[in-house]
């Protein structure tokens, strides 16, 4: 069994959403896609934001999401970021570092 559960991860991701707003994530699929993209970033050489000694990249990505070290960006936020920066973000950039974590940039 996956620890934390999908339901726990969905609660963590949606914790910053105020009442009446659409949730960032409403399905397991979104969690799976975001963690798999982050795991690919780790495999490609990005620094881990949690202690990942002896853990597989996907387990590290799940732990990062559970601890709030990364967040899932909606399409709207991604488009706003592209407009402000004037650059396109990579396809893998759905997992980004939260403001509290200042170790590395997860994009």
């Amino acid at each position: 069994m996956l620890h934390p559960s999908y339901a726990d991860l969905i609660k963590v991701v949606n914790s910053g959403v105020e009442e009446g707003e659409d949730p960032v994530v409403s399905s397991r699929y979104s969690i799976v896609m975001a963690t798999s993209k982050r795991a690919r970033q780790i495999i490609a050489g990005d620094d881990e934001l949690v202690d990942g000694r002896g853990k597989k990249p996907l387990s590290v990505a799940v732990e990062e999401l559970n601890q709030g070290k990364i967040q899932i960006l909606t399409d709207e936020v991604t488009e706003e970021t592209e407009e402000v920066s004037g650059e396109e973000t990579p396809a893998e950039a759905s997992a980004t570092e939260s403001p509290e974590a200042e170790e590395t940039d997860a994009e």
Side-chain angles (χ1 to χ4, degrees), residues 6-48:
Y6 288 113
D8 292 340
L9 290 173
I10 289 173
K11 286 178 187 175
V12 168
V13 171
N14 291 328
S15 64
V17 177
E18 295 182 18
E19 191 172 326
E21 292 182 359
D22 291 334
V24 175
V25 173
S26 58
S27 70
R28 293 180 187 183
Y29 179 78
S30 300
I31 297 290
V32 169
M33 293 303 298
T35 54
S36 67
K37 286 181 181 182
R38 177 63 184 140
R40 280 185 249 135
Q41 291 174 345
I42 292 168
I43 291 168
D46 284 6
D47 291 332
E48 299 170 353

Side-chain angles (χ1 to χ4, degrees), residues 58-88:
L58 184 57
S59 296
V60 172
V62 168
E63 186 63 29
E64 289 176 349
L65 186 61
N66 189 44
Q67 291 184 14
K69 302 280 184 176
I70 59 173
Q71 60 185 359
I72 298 174
L73 299 178
T74 62
D75 291 335
E76 296 169 358
V77 173
T78 304
E79 290 172 6
E80 290 173 11
T81 304
E82 289 174 2
E83 290 174 5
V84 170
S85 69
E87 299 176 5
E88 288 188 27

Side-chain angles (χ1 to χ4, degrees), residues 45-59:
D46 284 6
D47 291 332
E48 299 170 353
L49 303 176
V50 297
D51 183 21
R53 288 179 280 174
K55 295 181 182 176
K56 295 180 181 179
L58 184 57
S59 296

